[in-house]
């Protein structure tokens, strides 16, 4: 069974760095894209970006490019989302999710989701 | 980027009602359209992919249709567990953007 387990909630101050994680299991990690989805309080779903763990190819939403970094560690089947300097506007629930299409990127969907990591940014 | 526009943003309905949600893409996405259901405090769950294919275990009262730019999610005979927010998402080209969501509330 595919399982994605995310790291715990974080409370940070503006300007601090942060790295949250998503541990994947139950499938061949390197052969499926894994993505991040942001949900700001009371708002809808925003596609942040995706990574293909086999070669670490990443694709970011243009609106978030440069604001976050997605990475993967194949040795522990884990994907990360990190910020070098948090802003108050980064406060949100972040979900990781697996794309079901293998290496292809057309016609696929997020078929398995993590439980979410709540990021709070407050001075 | 391909923008996705859902309507309505919210609706009130009663148990047993038929509900229709529409999603429009800013350019053709052929059949690369997914529908997700999200309940409060929970991660989203995919219900329909490729515009009309139901995930295993999704009740048959849910259906999807459409091709190109215009798509529809229909729930026949709304059940109490269907009250949630529904999102469409295109998977034709990255970024795979979501619609803004449709909240289905109890009348």
């Amino acid at each position: 069974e595919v399982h994605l387990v995310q790291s715990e909630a974080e409370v940070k101050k503006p300007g601090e760095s942060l790295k949250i994680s998503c541990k994947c299991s139950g499938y061949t990690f390197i052969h499926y894209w894994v993505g991040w989805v942001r949900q700001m309080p009371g708002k809808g779903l925003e596609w942040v970006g995706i990574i293909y763990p086999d070669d670490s190819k990443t694709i970011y939403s243009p609106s978030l490019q440069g604001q976050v970094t997605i990475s993967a560690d194949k040795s522990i089947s884990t994907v990360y989302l990190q910020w070098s300097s948090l802003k108050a506007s980064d406060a949100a629930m972040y979900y990781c999710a697996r794309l079901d299409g293998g290496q292809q990127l057309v016609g696929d969907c997020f078929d398995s989701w993590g439980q979410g990591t709540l990021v709070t940014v407050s001075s | 980027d391909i923008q996705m526009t859902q309507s309505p943003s919210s609706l009130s309905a009663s148990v047993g009602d038929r509900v229709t949600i529409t999603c429009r893409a800013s350019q053709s996405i052929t059949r690369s359209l997914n529908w997700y259901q999200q309940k409060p405090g929970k991660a989203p769950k995919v219900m329909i992919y490729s515009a009309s294919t139901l995930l295993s275990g999704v009740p048959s009262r849910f259906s999807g249709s459409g091709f190109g730019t215009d798509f529809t999610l229909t729930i026949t005979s709304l059940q109490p567990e269907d009250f949630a927010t529904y999102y469409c998402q295109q998977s034709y080209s990255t970024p795979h953007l979501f619609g803004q969501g449709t909240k289905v509330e109890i009348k």
Side-chain angles (χ1 to χ4, degrees), chain B residues 29-96:
Chain B
I29 57 171
T30 64
R31 297 185 62 81
S32 299
L33 191 283
N34 308 314
W35 289 99
Y36 297 84
Q37 177 193 67
Q38 187 181 31
K39 296 183 177 179
K42 300 293 187 182
K45 179 176 76 168
V46 62
M47 307 290 278
I48 292 171
Y49 65 95
S50 295
S52 61
T53 305
L54 264 63
L55 265 290
S56 175
V58 173
S60 58
R61 62 181 179 273
F62 288 87
S63 65
S65 65
F67 183 91
T69 60
D70 294 308
F71 301 86
T72 300
L73 171 68
T74 300
I75 312 171
T76 58
S77 191
L78 198 66
Q79 296 302 298
E81 60 268 30
D82 302 335
F83 291 95
T85 301
Y86 294 86
Y87 296 91
C88 63
Q89 180 205 29
Q90 66 85 10
S91 59
Y92 184 77
S93 68
T94 57
H96 293 169

Side-chain angles (χ1 to χ4, degrees), chain A residues 9 17-18 34 37-38 41 54 59 63 65 67 108 110:
Chain A
S17 63
L18 175 64
V34 176
V37 175
R38 179 172 80 173
D54 195 24
I59 303 174
S63 64
Q65 177 103 39
Q67 310 302 309
D108 48 10
F110 286 129

Side-chain angles (χ1 to χ4, degrees), chain A residues 52-118:
Chain A
Y52 192 70
D54 195 24
D55 58 10
S56 287
K57 178 173 180 177
T58 54
I59 303 174
Y60 295 95
S61 172
S63 64
L64 287 162
Q65 177 103 39
Q67 310 302 309
V68 296
T69 301
I70 298 172
S71 59
D73 185 335
K74 291 189 282 189
S75 69
I76 54 172
S77 300
T78 298
V79 173
Y80 302 96
L81 179 65
Q82 69 180 90
W83 297 259
S84 58
S85 180
L86 283 161
K87 301 187 287 286
S89 57
D90 293 319
M93 179 71 81
Y94 291 86
Y95 295 101
C96 65
R98 188 191 79 153
L99 274 168
D100 72 335
Q103 193 171 12
Q104 71 164 29
L105 274 178
V106 179
D108 48 10
C109 67
F110 286 129
D111 67 341
S112 297
W113 293 69
Q115 82 278 19
T117 296
L118 182 64

